[in-house]
Amino acid sequence: GPSGSGKSLFLRMIADLDPNEGEVWLNGRERASMPAPEWRKQVIYVSAESGWWADTVIEHFPANKRSEIAILLGRLGVRDELLDAPVAQLSTGEKQRLSLVRALLPNSPVLLLDEPTGPLDEESVARVEALLQERMASGTSILLVTHDPNQAQHLGGQRYRMIAGHMETA
C-alpha cells in the first residue's frame, strides 16, 4: 500500500508495541495470555529505521554469539570489522542489514519486517531475500512490508494491500 496507509502501524500492533484491539495468536496461544517480553522474543519486529542505543555496534549483540553473527554478516555482505565500529559511522544500508542480523539471532518463529531492503543496493537485496527464503523454508513465518511488487511476488506466499488502514487481498 501507499505510504501512510497503516502498514507499519499494523506490524507494530502485532508486535504489541502500539495500542490495538483484537486477538493475535501464535502456536495456539493468545498474545494477551503471555507477558509482553515473552511475546516479543517470539515475534520480533524490525522497523524500517531500527534503533541503536549504544555507541558501538557490538554492544547491540549478545557476546556469546560472535561466530553466529559473523556467519550472518558474511551471508549479507557485511564486513566483520563493522562489529567493532561506532554506530555513527555506519551507512543506512549497513544499519539495515545489522538490524536484520539482530532479529535473526534468536531464531524466533515470527519476524515482522518493515521495508527490510528499502535502502539496499540490488546485490544486498538479493542476499537478504535469499536468507529470508531459507528462514521461511525452515519454518519461520515472516510478515514483510514492502513497496516493491516484485519482492512481494517472489517472497510472499500470501499478499495483501493496505489501503487507508484496511487490508485487502492483493
Side-chain angles (χ1 to χ4, degrees):
S3 296
S5 63
K7 301 177 303 294
S8 298
L9 181 60
F10 179 67
L11 291 182
R12 290 182 54 80
M13 288 188 302
I14 293 170
D16 199 23
L17 297 171
D18 284 326
N20 62 88
E21 295 180 14
E23 298 175 354
V24 181
W25 292 77
L26 176 63
N27 297 326
R29 285 189 69 192
E30 186 180 8
R31 179 185 63 195
S33 74
M34 63 181 81
E38 182 183 339
W39 177 261
R40 291 182 192 129
K41 285 179 184 175
Q42 297 179 66
V43 179
I44 296 180
Y45 169 69
V46 180
S47 67
E49 294 182 29
S50 61
W52 298 88
W53 54 89
D55 292 332
T56 62
V57 172
I58 195 63
E59 294 175 88
H60 297 90
F61 291 93
N64 63 341
K65 300 258 186 175
R66 189 135 187 163
S67 62
E68 194 176 343
I69 295 165
I71 292 167
L72 289 169
L73 291 176
R75 296 281 315 276
L76 295 175
V78 178
R79 300 180 327 267
D80 287 1
E81 54 269 13
L82 284 184
L83 285 175
D84 299 311
V87 171
Q89 290 182 0
L90 298 176
S91 72
T92 303
E94 288 167 338
K95 286 179 187 174
Q96 191 71 17
R97 288 175 287 165
L98 284 161
S99 66
L100 182 59
V101 169
R102 262 191 342 222
L104 292 171
L105 281 174
N107 214 10
S108 69
V110 178
L111 293 172
L112 307 173
L113 306 176
D114 193 355
E115 291 287 344
T117 60
L120 301 181
D121 60 77
E122 195 172 308
E123 180 184 336
S124 296
V125 169
R127 288 173 178 260
V128 167
E129 288 179 354
L131 192 52
L132 294 179
Q133 285 174 326
E134 286 176 21
R135 287 296 173 107
M136 287 186 294
S138 69
T140 301
S141 296
I142 297 177
L143 183 55
L144 182 138
V145 167
T146 182
H147 286 282
D148 181 353
N150 293 324
Q151 185 173 62
Q153 183 67 35
H154 68 265
L155 281 180
Q158 298 176 4
R159 289 172 299 285
Y160 299 92
R161 184 167 171 77
M162 182 79 71
I163 305 290
H166 298 285
M167 197 173 307
E168 59 186 44
T169 304

